[in-house]
Amino acid sequence: MTAATTQLIIVGAGPAGCSAALIAASVGMSSILVDPSPRPGGALWRIRHVTNVPGGWTDGPSYAEALQRDLSRISRTCQYLQDEAVKVEACEEEVTVALASGRSIRAEYLIIATGVRSMRATEATWVSTDLDFPPLWQITAESIREDLTVLGADRPLGTWLRSNPNFARKLTVLHPAADSYKADEIRADPRVELIPVREASVRRSELFEVEFTTLAGVPGRLSAAVVLANAGSTPAGLPGLVRGDDGYCPPDRQHPRVMTAGDLRSAGFQRIVTATGSGAEAALSVFYQSRELSR
Ligand SMILES: Cc1cc2nc3c(=O)[nH]c(=O)nc-3n(C[C@H](O)[C@H](O)[C@H](O)COP(=O)(O)OP(=O)(O)OC[C@H]3O[C@@H](n4cnc5c(N)ncnc54)[C@H](O)[C@@H]3O)c2cc1C
């Protein structure tokens, strides 16, 4: 089944996708904004404290709610479609987005702003396991009564510890050398034991059995009741996009009818303001291209 066509499809309703929708509406373009979440805002909902967004915003959810109000204001030209894009295709005349619901939607242009997602432990090159562990950032401290073993020292660890000052259990954090500089911010936290490792493996028996080799080459093992993943993020690109060697989807390598915006573009520039700017720029690029105007 094919839904009605529109001028522009925007996939991902984080700051980049929402800005693209607002700018598209401001120049009179109709759009469909696709996101599996019932509420726009993307990663903003996970940011408890923010200091680098102009306008006096101090937390992500307040900013996300403001974006939601902005989208309500443009609901006549921008339709919010709660669905997940699974594949994109672009040809000379149009673009098609296949959705998880089985539908597909078509448009003249496409902006993809799907950001990044948490890397699974099975995707981390330094971890051997066939088990899938919940990401640390999704876990509430109140739901945990045991000590934790954490795979990776990526930034959400610091955010999680600061957000849960009363969590009194121990966190044993195994991490690769590449995470060492990120671990600096939590090195002094008495709840944390950092173990830099070359590699680690995890298997399930009664508890989780973790074996590892430290950076110094010393083998070690531990048993854990709870293992959580915190191994970093990976671009949430879709089949049909052109990816670089690092998995990111640079805007200048896509089909002329397809733009990428926000965190999906590259590992650098991953900030709210840059996402917002790139989404706006992508929408204006589409507008100029549709009018054959030079920029
Ligand atoms: C814990 C944390 C703290 C942060 N703190 C700050 C900070 O203080 N300051 C700062 O500037 N930045 C901060 N950031 C980074 C900032 O949140 C991101 O740079 C910004 O949100 C990127 O916006 P985006 O629109 O590109 O992606 P996102 O905000 O990640 O939004 C992507 C959207 O795409 C949707 N999506 C994904 N896949 C699909 C699909 N297949 N189909 C449809 N939709 C899909 C998702 O549901 C999501 O809504 C933080 C991030 C995190 C996680």
Side-chain angles (χ1 to χ4, degrees), residues 23-44:
I23 290 292
S26 75
V27 292
M29 294 188 80
S30 66
S31 66
I32 297 177
L33 177 57
V34 184
D35 198 297
S37 170
R39 54 186 191 175
L44 294 177

Side-chain angles (χ1 to χ4, degrees), residues 105-122:
I105 46 177
R106 290 183 291 132
E108 292 166 34
Y109 294 96
L110 173 63
I111 296 174
I112 306 276
T114 43
V116 293
R117 63 169 176 78
S118 301
M119 201 188 287
R120 296 186 187 93
T122 49

Side-chain angles (χ1 to χ4, degrees), residues 7-9 24 27 29 108-111 256-259 280-293 295:
Q7 285 177 291
L8 172 64
I9 297 169
V27 292
M29 294 188 80
E108 292 166 34
Y109 294 96
L110 173 63
I111 296 174
R257 290 189 176 276
V258 179
M259 318 276 155
E281 200 170 310
L284 278 184
S285 302
V286 162
F287 175 66
Y288 295 143
Q289 204 172 313
S290 69
R291 297 291 178 96
E292 294 178 352
L293 296 173
R295 286 173 244 169

Side-chain angles (χ1 to χ4, degrees), residues 121-131 133 151 198-204 209-212:
T122 49
E123 295 173 301
T125 51
W126 57 280
V127 180
S128 302
T129 188
D130 51 9
L131 302 167
F133 303 104
L151 300 173
R198 288 182 193 168
E199 59 199 5
S201 66
V202 191
R203 65 185 170 79
R204 178 93 221 201
E209 301 302 331
V210 185
E211 292 186 11
F212 55 87

Side-chain angles (χ1 to χ4, degrees), residues 7 28 38 44 55 82 90 101 113 120 144 148 171 173 244 277-278 283 288:
Q7 285 177 291
L44 294 177
Q82 195 186 335
S101 61
R120 296 186 187 93
I144 299 175
L148 298 176
L171 286 87
V173 180
S278 70
Y288 295 143

Side-chain angles (χ1 to χ4, degrees), residues 184-204:
D184 283 346
E185 63 172 308
I186 44 99
R187 211 170 284 284
D189 192 313
R191 298 169 291 177
V192 176
E193 181 191 4
L194 291 166
I195 307 181
V197 298
R198 288 182 193 168
E199 59 199 5
S201 66
V202 191
R203 65 185 170 79
R204 178 93 221 201

